[in-house]
Amino acid sequence: MTAFIEAAEPHVMTTYGRVPIALERGQGCRLWDVNGKEYLDALGGIAVNTLGHNHPKLVPALQEQIATLIHCSNYYYVPGQEKLAALLTERAQMDKAFFCSTGLEANEAAIKLARKYGVDKGITNPVIVVYDHAFHGRSLGTMSATANPKVREGFGPLLDGFVRIAANDIEALKQATEGNPNIVGVMMEPIQGEGGLHPMRAEYMQQVRALCDANDWLMILDEVQSGMGRTGKWFAHQWAGIVPDVMSLAKGLGSGVPVGALLAHGKAAEVLKPGNHGTTFGGNPLSMRAGIETIRIMEEDGLLAHTTQVGAHLKAKLKQELAEVAGVVDVRGEGLIIGIELNKPCGVLLGRGAEAGLLFSVTADTVVRLVPPLIMTEVEADEVVAKLKPLILQFLSE
């Protein structure tokens, strides 16, 4: 493996601190590296591989599409765009969709839409409310909306037009926006993935929805990580019984094929006009087929109910096994997006997990993040706990 890693390094920018393994193939919730070592996948490509690896229903559909048409320009109509847009907007109770390739692009589009919404109303300096612990991407726009200093610093001046507040505090939102005529929207993640698996409370989301309605602001939800069934509902905000004005999606939407989407509702659906925004790769026939087939298979196989069941089982098992462990601060999440917060930075666990044959991630320095494929079984969930618990115990004893 060392020889392979050394051979792989010379021409690739060092933008990642990688775990020193190279994966070669996958099946279900299992992966194998170039040396044949097996891993249980509790990361799912960071909440991307909704249907796991080499899914028997997805692969033939994508092979068929590759043999038919992979890409064409948005100069022309792409029938799959309307089909996928209808599937998404029906499930979200929204109206229209714009397709791109990544979550960053979807969030960038959301920011542009909100700013244009304000400018169209005569606001020359539109401002969007964002949150502590938020992560929306690494472009200059989405980076400016992101809270993490490690992401933001070192690139010179960021984009103006954001006000940052604490989550789950409606009074903080009211105070931060009082008397400011430039506010155009409130942008939040229902569950802050990169920020440490912090959920927005249902009551708080309902309060924000009401405040946006009262002030003619857009409620913008970043569901890039929490959407597409990850919590047991199509979109995490549906646990609060609300409908946003704007919603970004990506990650699990294409089960590994890059697909991003921006959904809009009501007045927000009419803001962007021809020439206001665009993309070369977004909405091409292959990515649309991936999104369509992902939704079809999820419904055929009952993956929303399955995710709720297996996620509850996994979280309960983790709570039970880690309840008396000093140094475990919290186990939280919904469905199959679960975080285990420890009382000290635990990035070293990534490599140790790989050595033990378990793949997961660490976010916000101290939170072990589990976002496995939605096809994971309870037996496999038990295996995750069996592999993870001794790693945590050993780490906390050091």
Side-chain angles (χ1 to χ4, degrees):
M1 182 63 72
T2 300
F4 179 92
I5 297 300
E6 289 175 353
E9 285 179 349
H11 303 100
V12 177
M13 290 187 184
T14 54
T15 54
Y16 305 102
R18 301 184 197 267
V19 176
I21 63 173
L23 299 171
E24 185 175 60
R25 64 185 179 90
Q27 182 66 53
C29 290
R30 306 282 171 175
L31 288 160
W32 288 265
D33 68 20
V34 293
N35 291 327
K37 180 176 178 177
E38 180 180 316
Y39 304 85
L40 179 59
D41 187 5
L43 183 60
I46 315 180
V48 168
N49 296 101
T50 300
L51 303 175
H53 307 279
N54 195 29
H55 193 284
K57 294 182 180 178
L58 179 66
V59 170
L62 296 183
Q63 290 173 328
E64 178 187 76
Q65 188 61 52
I66 288 170
T68 304
L69 184 64
I70 294 174
H71 178 81
C72 64
S73 170
N74 278 307
Y75 285 162
Y76 319 112
Y77 289 97
V78 179
Q81 289 188 17
E82 176 56 30
K83 186 171 183 179
L84 182 55
L87 290 171
L88 289 171
T89 54
E90 286 167 7
R91 283 150 188 77
Q93 299 179 41
M94 298 178 77
D95 297 320
K96 292 188 178 180
F98 167 82
F99 293 109
C100 49
S101 300
T102 66
L104 178 154
E105 292 173 82
N107 283 331
E108 190 81 21
I111 292 168
K112 285 183 67 175
L113 187 154
R115 288 167 69 95
K116 189 173 189 302
Y117 173 75
V119 170
D120 288 349
K121 294 199 300 178
I123 298 173
T124 56
N125 296 300
V127 173
I128 300 170
V129 178
V130 291
Y131 287 85
D132 294 340
H133 304 294
F135 179 88
H136 298 294
R138 297 177 185 271
S139 66
L140 282 175
T142 56
M143 187 168 68
S144 301
T146 290
N148 190 340
K150 294 180 182 179
V151 174
R152 293 162 55 87
E153 293 174 357
F155 298 95
L158 297 178
L159 187 69
D160 290 333
F162 296 97
V163 171
R164 193 173 311 283
I165 64 170
N168 290 314
D169 185 344
I170 196 65
E171 292 306 316
L173 175 56
K174 290 177 179 178
Q175 290 172 16
T177 57
E178 186 176 2
N180 188 341
N182 295 322
I183 302 296
V184 296
V186 180
M187 185 174 188
M188 71 171 75
E189 302 156 272
I191 299 176
Q192 295 178 322
E194 297 294 329
L197 279 290
H198 298 289
M200 298 288 181
R201 293 195 302 269
E203 179 187 15
Y204 178 73
M205 296 182 73
Q206 294 161 1
Q207 291 170 330
V208 174
R209 174 70 276 178
L211 197 61
C212 286
D213 289 340
N215 290 279
D216 198 27
W217 302 336
L218 299 181
M219 186 176 190
I220 306 162
L221 297 185
D222 176 348
E223 290 257 19
V224 169
Q225 190 163 153
S226 60
M228 292 309 299
R230 177 60 49 187
T231 67
K233 289 189 180 290
W234 281 111
F235 313 107
H237 69 266
Q238 291 175 327
W239 292 102
I242 61 168
V243 176
D245 300 297
V246 180
M247 176 172 65
S248 56
L249 300 171
K251 287 193 179 288
L253 177 53
S255 296
V257 176
V259 191
L262 184 72
L263 272 58
H265 174 63
K267 59 197 173 189
E270 307 302 327
V271 171
L272 296 178
K273 305 296 183 185
N276 290 156
H277 198 53
T279 169
T280 296
F281 291 104
N284 70 36
L286 178 60
S287 64
M288 296 299 92
R289 183 69 180 272
I292 292 164
E293 296 297 332
T294 295
I295 292 173
R296 177 183 68 83
I297 295 165
M298 287 179 68
E299 293 191 329
E300 283 183 0
D301 293 356
L303 283 188
L304 293 184
H306 177 83
T307 297
T308 300
Q309 176 184 330
V310 176
H313 176 86
L314 176 56
K315 187 164 73 168
K317 191 83 169 180
L318 287 165
K319 283 180 174 287
Q320 175 188 326
E321 294 295 319
L322 300 174
E324 304 302 323
V325 178
V328 174
V329 177
D330 192 18
V331 177
R332 56 180 176 262
E334 191 71 51
L336 285 172
I337 177 169
I338 296 174
I340 303 135
E341 184 176 355
L342 306 183
N343 66 356
K344 59 182 180 177
C346 57
V348 67
L349 286 176
L350 269 71
R352 295 182 186 182
E355 290 176 9
L358 179 65
L359 303 183
F360 54 86
S361 72
V362 170
T363 185
D365 293 331
T366 60
V367 180
V368 174
R369 172 175 52 180
L370 305 176
V371 280
L374 301 190
I375 62 169
M376 178 167 275
T377 65
E378 289 188 4
V379 171
E380 289 168 329
D382 289 343
E383 187 180 345
V384 169
V385 178
K387 288 179 178 289
L388 184 58
K389 181 181 177 180
L391 295 174
I392 291 175
L393 291 176
Q394 174 62 36
F395 171 72
L396 291 175
S397 71
E398 295 170 357

